[in-house]
Amino acid sequence: MTSKLHSWFVPANINSHANLRLFCFPYAGGGASIYREWQKHFPKNIEVCAVQLPGRESRGLESPIHSLAQIVNAIAEEIQPLLAMPFAFFGHSMGALIAFETARQLTRKYKRIPDHLFVSGRSAPHLTHRYRKLHLLPDDELKNELRQLNGTPDAVLQNNELMDLLLPRLRADFEVCETYTYSVDMPIHCPITAYGGLDDHAVSMESLAAWKEHTSYHADLKMFEGDHFFLHNEQQKLAQDVGSMLQTAKALQSVSVR
């Protein structure tokens, strides 16, 4: 069980001294290392656990998963031993979608609800998307699309051997997003905070604000400087905002208990 947990969640310290876990979900093509520096921006009572999907980094020899439902079902099962304490979810882009559907699955199947859902760089799931089917494009066209998205360094795009390793993972992730179908369900009973980049032309403020439709609690919208991958340049501010909101919520809970 320990090895399995450590493959899905980095790190996965079941005996942690923290009193809240923040699970962080990667964007398409990304791995747990996206959130490698996040822990230093959080107090010790909050443990950052990055989700490591099959087919990347430490799990590079595994086949990537092509279905959102399969990813969510697997995470919902594997995460159980780590839910002995309060928890929250953060996800960027594809990660926001996975975090949202995992939260719904945990609510439906296990009656477990995150303390807070943070969604970043992703339109609300019920909105209709007219994206091109990137996962079906020939390699050269897909590389051009990746260059336009500005999330893959040119040095990587020009390295054919490296791209041969990365493209199957990217195709799988694009397929996860492009074949997703939203199903109506009860709103999640936890706060939702949506984050966006002011220069992200693919995800508008209006589509971020629409996340309020998916909570029976309350929703916030916060914008940062940058494009779709603002979470890198604004990492410290973003992480500190997440930590501040979680700490405030814990303090309020403590007061209410007293």
Side-chain angles (χ1 to χ4, degrees):
M1 179 177 290
T2 300
S3 61
K4 216 172 186 182
L5 281 170
H6 278 272
S7 68
W8 278 94
F9 307 101
V10 183
N13 185 3
I14 296 177
N15 299 314
S16 171
H17 296 295
N19 58 23
L20 187 146
R21 282 195 173 95
L22 175 65
F23 294 95
C24 297
F25 298 76
Y27 49 72
S33 64
I34 293 170
Y35 302 105
R36 181 170 46 209
E37 302 297 319
W38 273 48
Q39 185 65 67
K40 69 182 182 182
H41 302 303
F42 287 85
K44 292 182 179 180
N45 68 301
I46 297 176
E47 181 181 71
V48 176
C49 284
V51 176
Q52 188 76 287
L53 299 177
R56 59 217 67 202
E57 297 176 353
S58 60
R59 306 185 69 183
L61 296 179
E62 299 180 49
S63 299
I65 302 177
H66 296 250
S67 160
L68 183 68
Q70 290 179 1
I71 292 174
V72 168
N73 287 335
I75 292 174
E77 291 290 335
E78 299 293 341
I79 203 172
Q80 292 302 311
L82 296 173
L83 300 186
M85 66 175 70
F87 64 97
F89 285 166
F90 176 94
H92 182 79
S93 197
M94 179 186 79
L97 192 59
I98 298 174
F100 168 69
E101 287 295 348
T102 301
R104 296 214 295 179
Q105 177 78 335
L106 290 175
T107 301
R108 285 190 298 259
K109 192 171 181 179
Y110 300 104
K111 310 302 180 186
R112 301 301 306 273
I113 304 172
D115 281 17
H116 205 119
L117 175 61
F118 299 94
V119 290
S120 174
R122 173 77 195 193
S123 302
H126 66 283
L127 299 179
T128 300
H129 299 287
R130 301 185 183 278
Y131 299 137
R132 293 179 65 191
K133 299 298 185 183
L134 299 184
H135 72 281
L136 298 177
L137 292 178
D139 286 355
D140 288 344
E141 291 185 38
L142 182 55
K143 288 178 184 179
N144 288 333
E145 290 291 336
L146 293 172
R147 189 172 285 108
Q148 294 296 319
L149 290 172
N150 199 32
T152 308
D154 282 337
V156 174
L157 289 169
Q158 294 172 11
N159 187 320
N160 291 330
E161 292 183 1
L162 187 54
M163 288 306 298
D164 286 344
L165 295 174
L166 292 179
L167 282 178
R169 174 205 307 179
L170 288 163
R171 286 188 185 281
D173 286 355
F174 285 136
E175 184 175 355
V176 165
C177 297
E178 293 163 0
T179 59
Y180 168 73
T181 301
Y182 170 75
S183 61
V184 177
D185 204 342
M186 296 293 292
I188 301 171
H189 189 61
C190 77
I192 294 179
T193 299
Y195 295 108
L198 290 169
D199 297 320
D200 185 349
H201 302 298
V203 183
S204 68
M205 291 180 64
E206 292 76 16
S207 67
L208 287 165
W211 277 98
K212 66 183 179 182
E213 304 295 329
H214 299 282
T215 175
S216 58
Y217 212 70
H218 67 263
D220 294 305
L221 170 61
K222 300 185 179 184
M223 303 299 293
F224 286 84
E225 296 290 339
D227 58 17
H228 185 67
F229 292 97
F230 69 90
L231 83 162
H232 292 306
N233 293 334
E234 299 292 321
Q235 178 188 104
Q236 181 173 350
K237 292 180 181 178
L238 178 59
Q240 287 178 344
D241 189 78
V242 171
S244 176
M245 297 187 74
L246 291 174
Q247 288 288 82
T248 300
K250 292 295 290 181
L252 292 173
Q253 289 175 7
S254 177
V255 170
S256 66
V257 169
R258 292 176 190 170

